[in-house]
Amino acid sequence: MAKNEKKLGLINVIGLGVGGAIGSGIFVTLGSAMSRTGRSILPITIICVFYMLLAYWYNLGMSTVFVVKGGDYSMKGMLLPPILTGFGGWTNVIWAFGCTGYALAISQYLGDLWPLFNEYSKISSAIILTIFFLLTIKGNSFVAIFQNVVTFLLIFALILFVVLGIPSVDTSKFFDMNYDGGFFYNGLSGVISAIAIMAWACQGTTMGPVGVVPNTKNPKRNIPLGIILTCLVVSAVYGLMSFVASGVLTYDQYAGENLSVTARAIMPQGLFTFFVIGGGICAIISSFLSVLIMIRYPLSKMADDGWLPNSFKKKSADGYPYYCYLLVYIVALVPILIGMNVDNAISMLMIPTMIINIYLNTKCMMIPSKYKEQFENRSIKIPKWLFILASVLGGVCSAIIAITLFKDLNFHNAIIAAAVVIFPLLFSWLALKSGSVSRKHLDKEREKIIEDALKHDQV
């Protein structure tokens, strides 16, 4: 039990949650969200953090009932049927669209400093994408060092943005419902659309905490409590950032633009350059590298389990799944070459993610009756009716995001989004039908995950 002293406490869990949530998303999506709803982005960003907590309800709900040592991956293993297990594996390939969005966003921020990047955005984004995929071959030690530096730079950049920006906001005009289009610029549809696009920036509050269950003291208490407190901190930070971003300039100046537009208005040139590089670009690079490392082992396991053709099982001497990464690279490169923008690239990733969440959240409805003893020992005494209601609302929240993002696409991109959902389902069905993936093996893995979770049902 002496090892417990080295384990993470509640403060550590909150730190991981906040660090994982506040990053590139706010730099990438806030301008697009503001174009949809104007200054009402202030309450929307605060609400959206908790909205996304519901959209990822299964992470919070299951954490109060079980100690699932495999985190999000094992939670999905407990709940998903075979075909959706395959689809869940394919979402690691679909993360390619996130890489597309990162490459395009880096190019945009570089264009704020050197306009040449805007003139050749396709070429620059493709080169950026290629460089980052090359870094994955031998880049893990570099990433660890880079992440520590970026965290410090990001925090300093956000403090600069808020501290220098708040005095520049005319609060009498900001809260004037008739000034500059007022709040709720495009009505209810604009609010829903803004929440859907901000989902990318607000979805990380549960992922960091559930990923450290094995290393956390009293995880059944500290993980769910850490998630809730993380949401409170992130909502406060995002609220302050959105207040500055939408309050310094007028709608026509900030709508659809990234945070550098506001930063240029409130900062001298030297600090502005630091904000763009140390804040925006470094935050996006950090997320980009984290994603590329995060998908390595799931991609490799996906290939080993038979969800991909046999050739994808080939690895380098140190276990690098080069064919898997080549597939993700090609899927990420094509949207850049055909001129897809950041918002659409994010939608391609978020739509299938939310479809999976619809199933996972609604499946949680069965937990109180299926695992009665574990539910009785839940760490946060949520009434049974409220747990079930939250599961239903979680499914509804996920569905609204998926439908809204799909609705906002043009016909060409809607076809691509539909293909991103249909083809992984088809490939998963074929893998099961052909026997390249064993249903018995999947059932055994699920039983093993459930058995392990039931062993640790005490608070």
Side-chain angles (χ1 to χ4, degrees):
M1 299 302 279
K3 289 184 178 179
N4 282 345
E5 296 193 17
K6 294 183 179 179
K7 290 193 173 184
L8 302 174
L10 179 60
I11 299 299
N12 303 115
V13 173
I14 296 169
L16 282 169
V18 173
I22 299 176
S24 63
I26 195 72
F27 285 92
V28 174
T29 61
L30 189 57
S32 296
M34 291 191 298
S35 71
R36 290 159 164 79
T37 194
R39 295 193 316 284
S40 53
I41 192 66
L42 171 58
I44 286 172
T45 49
I46 296 171
I47 292 168
C48 190
V49 172
F50 295 97
Y51 182 97
M52 289 309 294
L53 179 61
L54 270 177
Y56 280 88
W57 165 254
Y58 72 94
N59 274 335
L60 176 60
M62 292 183 72
S63 293
T64 68
V65 179
F66 308 105
V67 177
V68 186
K69 290 192 173 182
D72 184 82
Y73 180 83
S74 292
M75 288 178 182
K76 289 176 179 176
M78 286 181 68
L79 299 177
L80 293 177
I83 191 167
L84 287 184
T85 299
F87 184 80
W90 273 96
T91 58
N92 292 292
V93 178
I94 296 169
W95 260 105
F97 289 100
C99 297
T100 300
Y102 290 138
L104 290 170
I106 291 171
S107 186
Q108 284 180 5
Y109 272 100
L110 287 171
D112 292 329
L113 298 176
W114 300 286
L116 187 67
F117 281 90
N118 292 327
E119 294 179 32
Y120 300 98
S121 60
K122 283 186 182 181
I123 296 173
S124 61
S125 298
I127 292 172
I128 290 167
L129 183 77
T130 303
I131 290 171
F132 278 88
F133 271 86
L134 291 174
L135 284 173
T136 63
I137 299 173
K138 295 290 183 182
N140 285 20
S141 58
F142 164 76
V143 172
I145 297 169
F146 184 81
Q147 297 285 42
N148 292 331
V149 175
V150 163
T151 300
F152 172 77
L153 294 176
L154 176 60
I155 291 171
F156 189 57
L158 296 182
I159 291 172
L160 272 179
F161 186 79
V162 171
V163 170
L164 296 179
I166 287 179
S168 300
V169 177
D170 187 339
T171 54
S172 63
K173 290 182 177 179
F174 187 94
F175 295 104
D176 182 348
M177 301 298 284
N178 298 314
Y179 172 71
D180 192 31
F183 272 48
F184 309 112
Y185 196 85
N186 290 309
L188 181 61
S189 64
V191 170
I192 296 172
S193 186
I195 289 174
I197 199 66
M198 279 297 295
W200 168 261
C202 299
Q203 67 173 340
T205 55
T206 66
M207 295 176 182
V210 299
V212 294
V213 169
N215 305 317
T216 302
K217 290 183 287 188
N218 195 2
K220 209 163 155 186
R221 170 189 176 274
N222 286 336
I223 296 298
L225 188 57
I227 289 172
I228 294 168
L229 293 175
T230 292
C231 288
L232 291 171
V233 174
V234 173
S235 66
V237 174
Y238 279 4
L240 289 170
M241 291 185 70
S242 62
F243 177 65
V244 173
S246 61
V248 173
L249 303 175
T250 61
Y251 178 85
D252 291 339
Q253 293 172 310
Y254 65 68
E257 302 291 338
N258 61 46
L259 292 179
S260 64
V261 173
T262 304
R264 190 188 294 275
I266 62 176
M267 297 178 185
Q269 184 59 38
L271 289 179
F272 169 73
T273 302
F274 166 77
F275 177 83
V276 171
I277 297 175
I281 293 174
C282 280
I284 297 167
I285 288 174
S286 175
S287 296
F288 201 161
L289 291 171
S290 295
V291 165
L292 289 175
I293 290 174
M294 176 188 75
I295 64 175
R296 174 170 174 167
Y297 297 104
L299 281 173
S300 183
K301 189 175 190 312
M302 181 186 174
D304 291 341
D305 287 348
W307 296 108
L308 293 169
N310 283 332
S311 58
F312 285 82
K313 295 179 181 180
K314 295 180 180 178
K315 303 177 184 68
S316 65
D318 62 349
Y320 182 79
Y322 44 87
Y323 279 142
C324 292
Y325 268 112
L326 180 61
L327 173 63
V328 177
Y329 171 74
I330 292 170
V331 174
L333 181 62
V334 170
I336 292 174
L337 299 180
I338 65 175
M340 187 177 288
N341 63 32
V342 175
D343 288 357
N344 290 334
I346 290 172
S347 295
M348 299 301 162
L349 172 59
M350 290 300 293
I351 289 170
T353 300
M354 290 299 105
I355 288 173
I356 285 283
N357 281 16
I358 294 169
Y359 184 91
L360 291 167
N361 288 328
T362 52
K363 190 73 174 177
C364 284
M365 292 171 57
M366 310 303 296
I367 287 176
S369 56
K370 189 172 183 179
Y371 301 101
K372 292 181 181 178
E373 182 180 345
Q374 286 71 33
F375 186 75
E376 284 300 315
N377 289 329
R378 62 196 180 279
S379 57
I380 299 177
K381 298 298 182 181
I382 307 170
K384 181 178 178 180
W385 67 267
L386 184 57
F387 189 97
I388 294 172
L389 178 62
S391 301
V392 175
L393 290 176
V396 171
C397 289
S398 301
I400 289 173
I401 293 171
I403 292 168
T404 302
L405 290 175
F406 186 80
K407 175 184 68 66
D408 287 348
L409 297 172
N410 61 32
F411 179 77
H412 174 74
N413 286 320
I415 295 297
I416 296 174
V420 168
V421 173
I422 292 170
F423 279 106
L425 284 172
L426 177 61
F427 293 149
S428 299
W429 178 81
L430 288 173
L432 291 166
K433 186 76 173 175
S434 66
S436 60
V437 175
S438 168
R439 288 179 181 268
K440 287 185 178 179
H441 174 70
L442 292 176
D443 289 339
K444 284 183 179 179
E445 283 200 338
R446 180 178 296 106
E447 289 170 8
K448 189 175 179 181
I449 292 169
I450 293 171
E451 182 182 352
D452 186 58
L454 296 184
K455 284 179 183 177
H456 303 88
D457 66 331
Q458 297 301 314
V459 179

